[in-house]
């Protein structure tokens, strides 16, 4: 996959493909970009724009880390409380 | 409803609550910052869900539906007790970003950050722990925080998150764009503070 170095982001001059990619990249990474034509355009852009590709990769990595983060577990007493509550409804 | 139908319904309800109990508790903890309040909030949400079950039109939508019940209960009963201030007025991007707004979000990233993330194989995210990212997430303004949590931590689809928060899917997309951009900035600043980005590399990337 060849990506040209898209340094325009840094100078504040951004082309319209980058704008579209930014608007959709989070939905794309989260599997929420359902329009096939838009998805194909975003994938094509990501395969050519290093900055946008890198943003997408970083988002993937952040998502992976978030999935590994520990969630607060419900205490045993709460599980029992809910079971008793539902039994008594 | 016959006794046997009621028992069947209760068995289904009990399983549905069990399936999302961890997420309900995690969400309640994030809302209340207090385990006793979180337990009370979940219990109240479960009770209200059972009483309102006739309003649930599709059982497969139980999860976003009970999230919405819990969140609404929190807003009506618990918010005043919470230490964290309410910063929920962030809907200027309510129905999708305009080109100008998207450009503004893109260029507000620090230049050195942009240069750095153009090297994904060396990305600083590799050096961050999940817990550090969660902490940065919890520092976001409320509207963005709860959207990103529902989508990225709890795994809700955009339409489910929209249902849970009582907004449109377009609003969820906008909040994700904004919330994730803010999160990236927070993580970048944290990475510099934590020494995950070396000064040499910073100087190199800013050239």
């Amino acid at each position: 996959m060849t990506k040209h170095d898209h340094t325009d982001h840094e100078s504040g001059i951004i082309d319209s493909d980058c704008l579209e990619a930014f608007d959709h990249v989070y939905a794309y990474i989260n599997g929420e970009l359902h329009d096939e034509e838009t998805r194909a355009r975003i994938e094509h852009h990501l395969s050519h724009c290093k900055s946008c590709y890198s943003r997408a990769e970083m988002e993937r990595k952040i998502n992976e880390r978030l999935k590994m983060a520990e969630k607060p577990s419900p205490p045993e007493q709460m599980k029992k409380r809910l079971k008793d509550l539902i039994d008594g409804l | 409803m016959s006794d046997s139908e009621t028992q069947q319904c209760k068995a289904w309800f009990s399983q549905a609550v069990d399936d999302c109990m961890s997420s309900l508790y995690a969400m309640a903890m994030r809302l209340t910052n207090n385990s006793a309040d979180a337990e009370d909030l979940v219990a109240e949400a479960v009770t209200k869900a059972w009483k309102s079950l006739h309003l649930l039109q599709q059982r497969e939508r139980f999860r976003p539906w009970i999230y919405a019940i819990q969140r609404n209960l929190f807003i009506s009963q618990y918010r005043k007790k919470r230490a964290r201030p309410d910063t929920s007025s962030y809907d200027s991007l309510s129905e999708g970003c305009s080109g100008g707004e998207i450009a503004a979000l893109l260029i507000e990233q620090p230049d050195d950050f942009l240069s750095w993330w153009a090297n994904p194989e060396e990305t600083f995210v590799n050096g961050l722990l999940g817990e550090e990212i969660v902490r940065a997430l919890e520092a976001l303004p409320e509207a963005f925080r709860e959207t990103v949590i529902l989508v990225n931590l709890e795994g809700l689809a955009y339409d489910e998150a929209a249902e849970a928060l009582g907004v449109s899917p377009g609003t969820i997309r906008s909040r994700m764009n904004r919330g994730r951009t803010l999160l990236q900035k927070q993580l970048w600043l944290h990475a510099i503070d934590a020494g995950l980005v070396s000064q040499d590399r910073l100087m190199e990337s800013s050239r």
Side-chain angles (χ1 to χ4, degrees):
Chain A
M1 191 183 293
T2 307
K3 290 165 217 54
H4 67 73
D5 202 344
H6 219 122
T7 53
D8 281 350
H9 291 192
E10 295 162 53
S11 61
I13 304 163
I14 302 158
D15 73 31
S16 59
D17 290 345
C18 292
L19 289 179
E20 186 188 35
F22 178 81
D23 197 21
H24 292 289
V25 71
Y26 302 102
Y28 174 72
I29 296 299
N30 289 307
E32 293 284 339
L33 187 51
H34 303 302
D35 181 74
E36 279 184 32
E37 277 184 29
T38 310
R39 194 167 61 239
R41 274 202 312 278
I42 300 304
E43 284 174 347
H44 177 76
H45 180 73
L46 293 180
S47 72
H48 288 79
C49 176
K50 191 172 180 183
S51 287
C52 291
Y53 169 81
S54 301
R55 177 194 290 272
E57 284 303 295
M58 187 165 101
E59 284 302 305
R60 282 202 183 93
K61 286 191 161 87
I62 290 174
N63 279 354
E64 281 170 17
R65 292 287 193 283
L66 281 173
K67 280 180 189 145
M68 289 191 292
E70 219 173 293
K71 280 188 193 177
S73 301
E76 287 304 315
Q77 74 208 27
M78 192 188 95
K79 293 181 188 170
K80 183 175 183 319
R81 178 179 173 184
L82 287 189
K83 184 177 180 309
D84 292 346
L85 176 72
I86 292 171
D87 287 346
L89 288 171
Chain B
M1 201 185 280
S2 68
D3 282 354
S4 120
E5 283 171 334
T6 304
Q7 283 311 310
Q8 272 186 353
C9 189
K10 193 184 274 192
W12 171 82
F13 181 77
S14 179
Q15 185 61 53
V17 169
D18 209 41
D19 289 345
C20 61
M21 189 194 298
S22 294
S23 293
L24 280 173
Y25 179 71
M27 191 167 91
M29 275 297 289
R30 290 194 180 94
L31 289 169
T32 62
N33 287 327
N34 175 305
S35 60
D37 283 349
E39 286 182 34
D40 288 347
L41 180 57
V42 174
E44 284 181 54
V46 168
T47 305
K48 184 156 186 185
W50 174 255
K51 287 180 182 165
S52 317
L53 201 55
H54 60 286
L55 298 173
L56 176 64
Q57 293 179 347
Q58 298 168 285
R59 284 188 168 183
E60 60 269 27
R61 308 295 289 185
F62 180 78
R63 192 163 64 137
W65 180 72
I66 196 169
Y67 280 8
I69 288 174
Q70 180 166 280
R71 181 174 178 271
N72 290 338
L73 274 172
F74 169 74
I75 289 169
S76 63
Q77 295 178 23
Y78 287 80
R79 176 167 271 165
K80 287 177 196 159
K81 292 166 66 176
R82 200 178 69 158
R84 186 181 279 160
D86 174 16
T87 51
S88 58
S89 306
Y90 289 89
D91 275 336
S92 60
L93 303 170
S94 58
E95 288 298 334
C97 295
S98 68
E101 285 164 340
I102 296 163
L105 285 178
L106 255 175
I107 62 177
E108 73 180 36
Q109 302 281 4
D111 285 352
D112 45 6
F113 176 34
L114 285 170
S115 302
W116 183 266
W117 93 24
N119 297 290
E121 68 281 7
E122 298 182 75
T123 180
F124 66 88
V125 179
N126 289 331
L128 293 167
L129 300 171
E131 286 68 24
E132 290 174 309
I133 300 179
V134 171
R135 272 202 298 279
L137 180 54
E138 288 179 345
L140 295 180
E142 184 170 324
F144 306 131
R145 181 177 65 246
E146 63 184 1
T147 302
V148 177
I149 284 173
L150 284 178
V151 172
N152 292 132
L153 282 182
E154 303 303 340
L156 267 67
Y158 280 19
D159 63 333
E160 291 179 316
E163 195 174 331
L165 299 177
V167 298
S168 72
T171 298
I172 295 298
R173 190 162 71 87
S174 302
R175 288 183 181 178
M176 285 297 292
N177 287 356
R178 184 70 176 162
R180 291 299 293 251
T181 304
L182 287 171
L183 180 64
Q184 288 168 7
K185 285 177 74 174
Q186 291 283 342
L187 291 174
W188 172 247
L189 295 173
H190 171 76
I192 293 171
D193 285 348
L196 297 173
V197 182
S198 74
Q199 289 304 311
D200 289 350
R201 194 67 183 81
L202 261 179
M203 287 172 68
E204 193 181 312
S205 67
S206 62
R207 266 177 217 147

